Amino acid sequence: MSDLLQLGRISDDMREQLARVFTIHSPDDFPAEKITHVLTSSGVGIARTLMEGLPNLKAISNYGVGYDAIDIDAATAQGIIVSHTPNVLNSEVATTTVMLMLMCYREALRDDAWARSGNWETSGAAPLTRSADNQTIGILGLGRIGQAIADKFAPWTPKIVYHSRTKKDVPYPYYDNLVDMAAACDVLVCVTPGGSGTKNIVNAPVLEALGPQGTLINVSRGSVVDEPALITALQTKTLGWAGLDVFENEPAIPQALRDLSNVVLLPHVGSATVETRRAMGQLAVDNVIQHLRDGTMITAVPEHG
Ligand code: NDP
């Protein structure tokens, strides 16, 4: 039996499969010298010091597509291969994006409260909302999930534009400048990876360009958006609305954001359905078991080539 260090939570089904080929250790008590595999998740990652303290570590399987909580350069230098779970969650995160947009436009939380509180009976009809039809959707990061978001919006609105580092072979107009795209769209959807390359790329000028009628949807990472600038823009209504699944210091959400009525807050649940988490969990398990068998992983991170 090989030794696997389990960081973060796994399902009973994942545990059962792993236990057939690994001795599973918890972070409270593990034999550092013996650990050859780690299974972690996007929210937990692995500290560099912990990685360096595992001299025989060969592979890290990340349960999640985003791996900004793992230092890939340090792992590579140590000869460790890292995998993640791309594609199996694309459609789910796209659904979350559409849901957040609709909740912002149609004020779903306000109207739910209106119905529950009895306001309908005492005060009459709820105030009108805005139509989500015919809006221009700007996608920041037209990768796997970004494309799934475009696909989900496409039957509904023909007006999709995007900004990525590179121009893609797609029918949507490309903006090589994020401020220009923000000025041209009604809804700006952030779906890039986190990490130093995207830190605060949605800054005050981008939010200002999106404007008082604009809506920001963030399903990427909290670090992608300058959170203090976002709070100011929402407070002063220089930005209209925001739908946020991710935050700078999760699970803490600034009180200033919680106090605002022009923001919808979700606790990082972009992929969090039973079906999609099962698929992600299976891929995370398959990766680590394949590595045990032949030293390769099905979905190694692209940095490994
Ligand atoms: P991909 O790697 O397929 O796509 C990422 C896209 O971001 C690419 O189009 C890339 O552009 C673009 N990008 C990267 N850096 C920049 C930059 N500096 N400026 C502009 N564009 C940039 O990743 P996925 O679509 O699979 O996942 C995207 C991210 O979504 C994950 O890394 C994770 O952070 C987040 N996520 C969030 C979830 C949630 O629960 N809320 C669930 C799953 C993922 P290019 O192609 O030109 O390089």
Side-chain angles (χ1 to χ4, degrees):
M1 283 280 216
S2 295
D3 291 78
L4 177 137
L5 176 61
Q6 179 214 325
L7 304 173
R9 286 189 297 186
I10 57 174
S11 67
D12 292 345
D13 180 49
M14 290 168 73
R15 176 175 297 282
E16 208 172 283
Q17 295 186 57
L18 291 168
R20 286 186 210 133
V21 285
F22 288 106
T23 303
I24 303 173
H25 301 276
S26 84
D28 302 330
D29 181 25
F30 60 90
E33 297 280 327
K34 290 174 75 180
I35 299 295
T36 52
H37 293 78
V38 164
L39 197 143
T40 188
S41 63
S42 294
V44 175
I46 180 168
R48 190 174 167 164
T49 46
L50 174 55
M51 201 157 66
E52 287 168 353
L54 303 172
N56 293 307
L57 181 58
K58 297 283 178 284
I60 300 173
S61 172
N62 186 59
Y63 172 25
V65 67
Y67 49 92
D68 44 315
I70 301 174
D71 186 333
I72 299 295
D73 288 344
T76 306
Q78 220 179 302
I80 300 165
I81 179 170
V82 180
S83 68
H84 63 150
T85 62
N87 294 319
V88 291
L89 41 57
N90 294 352
S91 177
E92 209 66 72
V93 181
T95 300
T96 304
T97 302
V98 174
M99 176 175 75
L100 276 170
M101 182 222 179
L102 291 176
M103 288 176 82
C104 287
Y105 271 75
R106 297 300 302 272
E107 307 244 15
L109 295 175
R110 186 207 65 190
D111 280 357
D112 178 86
W114 195 272
R116 273 171 210 275
S117 64
N119 264 5
W120 189 13
E121 280 177 87
T122 55
S123 308
L128 300 181
T129 60
R130 297 176 303 149
S131 174
D133 290 351
N134 298 313
Q135 302 300 291
T136 299
I137 314 292
I139 301 175
L140 166 56
L142 196 73
R144 290 173 293 252
I145 300 173
Q147 183 61 58
I149 291 169
D151 292 344
K152 215 152 256 201
F153 274 117
W156 188 22
T157 173
K159 295 189 278 185
I160 295 169
V161 299
Y162 75 100
H163 168 73
S164 285
R165 289 173 298 192
T166 52
K167 193 170 185 296
K168 316 284 175 200
D169 185 18
V170 291
Y172 322 118
Y174 173 66
Y175 282 84
D176 62 7
N177 181 293
L178 180 54
V179 173
D180 291 347
M181 184 175 83
C185 66
D186 302 296
V187 181
L188 175 61
V189 176
C190 307
V191 64
T192 63
S196 56
T198 54
K199 184 154 176 60
N200 288 353
I201 58 174
V202 177
N203 54 19
V206 173
L207 298 171
E208 195 184 334
L210 191 53
Q213 292 304 314
T215 300
L216 177 79
I217 304 294
N218 189 8
V219 292
S220 59
R221 285 290 180 266
S223 59
V224 173
V225 176
D226 180 339
E227 205 166 74
L230 173 64
I231 291 168
T232 303
L234 288 166
Q235 284 170 334
T236 56
K237 306 252 170 89
T238 51
L239 174 69
W241 296 264
L244 308 173
D245 185 43
V246 289
F247 304 89
E248 198 168 356
N249 295 306
E250 295 175 10
I253 299 178
Q255 189 60 44
L257 270 180
R258 297 196 227 175
D259 290 341
L260 287 165
S261 59
N262 53 345
V263 62
V264 175
L265 307 172
L266 295 181
H268 202 146
V269 291
S271 67
T273 62
V274 170
E275 295 84 351
T276 295
R277 286 293 169 84
R278 189 183 295 130
M280 290 163 62
Q282 192 58 54
L283 184 51
V285 167
D286 289 347
N287 265 313
V288 84
I289 290 178
Q290 175 164 312
H291 184 270
L292 196 58
R293 203 164 49 230
D294 66 10
T296 66
M297 298 181 102
I298 306 161
T299 47
V301 299
E303 284 86 342
H304 293 312

Coordinates of all heavy atoms in Angstrom, one line a residue, residues 6-52:
Q6 N -4.5 13.1 2.8 CA -5.7 13.8 2.4 C -5.9 15.1 3.0 O -6.0 15.2 4.3 CB -6.9 12.8 2.8 CG -8.2 13.4 2.4 CD -9.3 13.1 3.4 OE1 -9.3 12.0 4.0 NE2 -10.2 14.0 3.6
L7 N -5.9 16.2 2.2 CA -6.1 17.5 2.7 C -7.5 18.0 2.2 O -7.8 17.8 1.0 CB -5.0 18.5 2.1 CG -3.6 18.1 2.4 CD1 -2.6 19.0 1.7 CD2 -3.3 18.1 3.9
G8 N -8.3 18.5 3.0 CA -9.6 18.9 2.6 C -10.6 17.7 2.7 O -10.2 16.6 3.0
R9 N -11.8 17.9 2.4 CA -12.8 16.9 2.5 C -13.0 16.0 1.3 O -12.9 16.5 0.2 CB -14.2 17.5 2.9 CG -14.2 18.0 4.3 CD -15.6 18.4 4.7 NE -16.1 19.5 3.9 CZ -17.2 20.2 4.1 NH1 -18.0 19.8 5.1 NH2 -17.6 21.2 3.3
I10 N -13.3 14.7 1.5 CA -13.6 13.9 0.3 C -14.9 13.1 0.7 O -15.3 13.0 1.8 CB -12.5 12.9 0.0 CG1 -12.1 12.0 1.2 CG2 -11.3 13.6 -0.5 CD1 -11.1 10.9 0.9
S11 N -15.6 12.7 -0.4 CA -16.8 11.9 -0.2 C -16.5 10.5 0.3 O -15.4 10.0 0.1 CB -17.6 11.9 -1.5 OG -17.0 11.1 -2.4
D12 N -17.5 9.8 0.8 CA -17.4 8.4 1.2 C -17.0 7.6 0.0 O -16.2 6.7 0.2 CB -18.7 7.9 1.8 CG -19.0 8.6 3.2 OD1 -18.1 9.2 3.7 OD2 -20.1 8.5 3.6
D13 N -17.6 7.9 -1.1 CA -17.3 7.1 -2.3 C -15.8 7.2 -2.7 O -15.1 6.3 -3.1 CB -18.2 7.5 -3.4 CG -18.0 6.7 -4.7 OD1 -17.9 5.5 -4.6 OD2 -17.8 7.4 -5.8
M14 N -15.3 8.5 -2.7 CA -13.9 8.7 -3.0 C -13.0 7.9 -2.0 O -12.0 7.3 -2.4 CB -13.6 10.2 -2.9 CG -14.2 11.0 -4.0 SD -14.1 12.8 -3.7 CE -12.4 13.1 -4.0
R15 N -13.3 8.1 -0.7 CA -12.6 7.4 0.3 C -12.5 5.9 0.1 O -11.4 5.3 0.2 CB -13.1 7.7 1.7 CG -12.5 7.0 2.9 CD -13.0 7.4 4.2 NE -12.8 8.8 4.4 CZ -11.6 9.3 4.8 NH1 -10.6 8.5 5.0 NH2 -11.4 10.6 5.0
E16 N -13.6 5.3 -0.2 CA -13.7 3.9 -0.5 C -12.8 3.4 -1.6 O -12.0 2.5 -1.5 CB -15.2 3.5 -0.8 CG -15.6 2.1 -0.5 CD -17.1 2.0 -0.7 OE1 -17.9 2.5 0.1 OE2 -17.4 1.5 -1.8
Q17 N -12.8 4.2 -2.7 CA -12.0 3.8 -3.8 C -10.5 4.0 -3.5 O -9.6 3.2 -3.9 CB -12.3 4.7 -5.0 CG -13.7 4.5 -5.6 CD -13.9 5.3 -6.8 OE1 -13.2 5.2 -7.8 NE2 -14.9 6.2 -6.8
L18 N -10.2 5.1 -2.8 CA -8.8 5.4 -2.5 C -8.2 4.3 -1.5 O -7.1 3.9 -1.6 CB -8.6 6.8 -1.9 CG -8.8 8.0 -2.8 CD1 -9.0 9.3 -2.1 CD2 -7.7 8.0 -3.8
A19 N -9.1 3.9 -0.6 CA -8.6 3.0 0.5 C -8.3 1.6 0.0 O -7.6 0.9 0.6 CB -9.7 2.9 1.6
R20 N -8.7 1.3 -1.3 CA -8.4 0.0 -1.9 C -6.9 0.0 -2.2 O -6.3 -1.1 -2.3 CB -9.2 -0.2 -3.1 CG -10.6 -0.6 -2.8 CD -11.4 -1.0 -4.1 NE -12.8 -0.6 -3.9 CZ -13.6 0.0 -4.7 NH1 -13.1 0.4 -5.9 NH2 -14.8 0.3 -4.5
V21 N -6.3 1.1 -2.5 CA -4.9 1.1 -3.0 C -3.9 2.0 -2.1 O -2.7 2.0 -2.3 CB -4.8 1.6 -4.4 CG1 -5.3 0.5 -5.4 CG2 -5.6 2.9 -4.7
F22 N -4.5 2.8 -1.2 CA -3.7 3.7 -0.4 C -4.0 3.5 1.1 O -5.2 3.3 1.4 CB -4.0 5.2 -0.7 CG -3.5 5.7 -2.0 CD1 -4.4 5.9 -3.1 CD2 -2.1 6.0 -2.2 CE1 -3.9 6.4 -4.3 CE2 -1.7 6.4 -3.5 CZ -2.5 6.6 -4.5
T23 N -3.0 3.8 1.9 CA -3.3 4.1 3.3 C -3.5 5.6 3.4 O -2.6 6.3 3.0 CB -2.1 3.7 4.2 OG1 -1.8 2.3 4.0 CG2 -2.4 3.9 5.7
I24 N -4.7 6.0 3.8 CA -5.0 7.4 3.8 C -4.7 8.0 5.2 O -5.1 7.5 6.2 CB -6.6 7.6 3.5 CG1 -6.9 6.9 2.2 CG2 -6.9 9.0 3.5 CD1 -8.4 6.9 1.9
H25 N -4.0 9.1 5.1 CA -3.6 9.8 6.3 C -4.2 11.2 6.4 O -4.4 11.8 5.4 CB -2.1 10.0 6.4 CG -1.3 8.7 6.3 ND1 -1.1 8.0 7.5 CD2 -0.8 8.0 5.3 CE1 -0.4 6.9 7.1 NE2 -0.2 6.9 5.8
S26 N -4.5 11.6 7.6 CA -5.1 13.0 7.8 C -4.0 14.0 8.1 O -2.9 13.5 8.6 CB -6.1 13.0 8.9 OG -5.5 13.1 10.1
P27 N -4.2 15.3 7.9 CA -3.1 16.2 8.2 C -2.8 16.3 9.7 O -1.7 16.9 10.0 CB -3.7 17.6 7.7 CG -5.1 17.3 7.4 CD -5.4 15.9 7.3
D28 N -3.6 15.8 10.5 CA -3.3 15.8 12.0 C -2.2 14.8 12.4 O -1.5 15.0 13.3 CB -4.5 15.4 12.8 CG -5.7 16.3 12.5 OD1 -5.4 17.5 12.2 OD2 -6.8 15.9 12.5
D29 N -2.0 13.8 11.6 CA -1.1 12.7 12.0 C -0.7 11.9 10.7 O -1.5 11.1 10.2 CB -1.8 11.8 13.0 CG -0.8 10.7 13.5 OD1 0.4 10.9 13.4 OD2 -1.3 9.6 13.8
F30 N 0.5 12.2 10.2 CA 0.9 11.5 9.0 C 2.5 11.2 9.0 O 3.2 12.0 9.6 CB 0.5 12.2 7.7 CG 1.1 13.6 7.7 CD1 2.3 13.8 7.0 CD2 0.4 14.7 8.2 CE1 2.9 15.1 6.9 CE2 1.0 16.0 8.1 CZ 2.2 16.2 7.5
P31 N 2.9 10.1 8.4 CA 4.3 9.9 8.4 C 5.0 10.6 7.2 O 4.9 10.1 6.0 CB 4.4 8.3 8.2 CG 3.1 8.0 7.5 CD 2.1 9.1 7.8
A32 N 5.6 11.7 7.4 CA 6.0 12.6 6.3 C 6.9 11.8 5.3 O 6.8 12.0 4.1 CB 6.8 13.8 6.8
E33 N 7.8 11.0 5.8 CA 8.7 10.3 4.9 C 8.0 9.3 4.0 O 8.6 9.0 2.9 CB 9.7 9.4 5.8 CG 10.6 10.2 6.7 CD 11.8 10.8 6.0 OE1 12.3 10.2 5.1 OE2 12.2 12.0 6.4
K34 N 6.9 8.8 4.4 CA 6.2 7.8 3.6 C 5.2 8.3 2.5 O 4.8 7.6 1.6 CB 5.5 6.8 4.5 CG 6.5 5.9 5.3 CD 5.7 5.1 6.3 CE 5.0 3.9 5.7 NZ 4.3 3.1 6.7
I35 N 4.8 9.6 2.7 CA 3.8 10.1 1.8 C 4.3 10.2 0.4 O 5.3 10.9 0.1 CB 3.3 11.5 2.3 CG1 2.7 11.4 3.7 CG2 2.3 12.1 1.3 CD1 1.4 10.6 3.9
T36 N 3.6 9.5 -0.6 CA 3.9 9.6 -2.0 C 2.9 10.4 -2.8 O 3.2 10.9 -3.9 CB 4.0 8.2 -2.6 OG1 2.8 7.5 -2.3 CG2 5.2 7.5 -2.0
H37 N 1.6 10.5 -2.2 CA 0.6 11.2 -3.0 C -0.2 12.1 -2.0 O -0.4 11.8 -0.8 CB -0.4 10.1 -3.6 CG 0.2 9.3 -4.7 ND1 1.1 8.3 -4.4 CD2 0.1 9.4 -6.0 CE1 1.5 7.8 -5.5 NE2 0.9 8.4 -6.5
V38 N -0.7 13.2 -2.6 CA -1.6 14.1 -1.8 C -2.9 14.3 -2.6 O -2.8 14.4 -3.9 CB -0.9 15.4 -1.6 CG1 -1.9 16.5 -1.2 CG2 0.2 15.3 -0.5
L39 N -4.0 14.3 -1.9 CA -5.2 14.7 -2.6 C -5.7 15.9 -1.8 O -5.9 15.9 -0.6 CB -6.3 13.5 -2.5 CG -7.4 13.8 -3.5 CD1 -7.9 12.5 -4.2 CD2 -8.6 14.5 -2.9
T40 N -5.9 17.0 -2.6 CA -6.3 18.2 -2.0 C -7.4 18.8 -2.8 O -7.9 18.2 -3.8 CB -5.1 19.2 -1.8 OG1 -5.6 20.3 -1.0 CG2 -4.6 19.7 -3.1
S41 N -7.9 20.0 -2.4 CA -8.9 20.7 -3.2 C -8.5 22.1 -3.5 O -7.6 22.7 -2.8 CB -10.2 20.6 -2.4 OG -10.1 21.4 -1.2
S42 N -9.3 22.8 -4.4 CA -8.9 24.2 -4.8 C -8.9 25.1 -3.6 O -8.1 26.0 -3.5 CB -9.9 24.7 -5.8 OG -9.8 23.9 -7.0
G43 N -9.9 24.9 -2.7 CA -10.0 25.8 -1.5 C -8.9 25.6 -0.5 O -8.7 26.5 0.3
V44 N -8.3 24.4 -0.5 CA -7.3 24.1 0.6 C -5.9 24.2 0.0 O -5.0 24.8 0.6 CB -7.6 22.7 1.1 CG1 -6.5 22.2 2.1 CG2 -9.0 22.6 1.8
G45 N -5.7 23.7 -1.2 CA -4.3 23.7 -1.8 C -3.3 22.9 -0.9 O -3.7 22.0 -0.2
I46 N -2.1 23.3 -1.0 CA -1.0 22.7 -0.1 C 0.0 23.8 0.1 O 0.5 24.5 -0.8 CB -0.4 21.5 -0.7 CG1 0.6 20.9 0.2 CG2 0.1 21.7 -2.1 CD1 1.1 19.5 -0.2
A47 N 0.4 24.0 1.4 CA 1.4 25.0 1.7 C 2.7 24.5 1.2 O 3.0 23.3 1.2 CB 1.5 25.2 3.2
R48 N 3.5 25.5 0.7 CA 4.8 25.1 0.1 C 5.7 24.4 1.2 O 6.4 23.4 0.8 CB 5.5 26.4 -0.4 CG 6.7 26.1 -1.2 CD 7.3 27.4 -1.8 NE 8.6 27.1 -2.3 CZ 9.3 27.9 -3.1 NH1 8.7 29.0 -3.6 NH2 10.5 27.5 -3.5
T49 N 5.7 24.9 2.4 CA 6.5 24.3 3.4 C 6.1 22.8 3.7 O 6.9 21.9 3.9 CB 6.3 25.0 4.8 OG1 4.9 25.3 5.0 CG2 7.1 26.3 4.8
L50 N 4.8 22.5 3.6 CA 4.3 21.1 3.8 C 4.8 20.3 2.6 O 5.4 19.2 2.8 CB 2.8 21.1 3.8 CG 2.2 19.7 3.9 CD1 2.7 18.9 5.0 CD2 0.6 19.8 4.0
M51 N 4.7 20.8 1.4 CA 5.2 20.1 0.2 C 6.7 19.8 0.4 O 7.1 18.6 0.1 CB 4.9 21.0 -1.0 CG 4.9 20.3 -2.3 SD 4.0 21.3 -3.5 CE 5.0 22.7 -3.7
E52 N 7.4 20.7 0.8 CA 8.9 20.6 0.9 C 9.2 19.6 2.0 O 10.3 19.0 2.1 CB 9.6 21.9 1.1 CG 9.6 22.7 -0.2 CD 10.0 24.2 0.0 OE1 10.1 24.6 1.2 OE2 10.1 24.9 -1.0

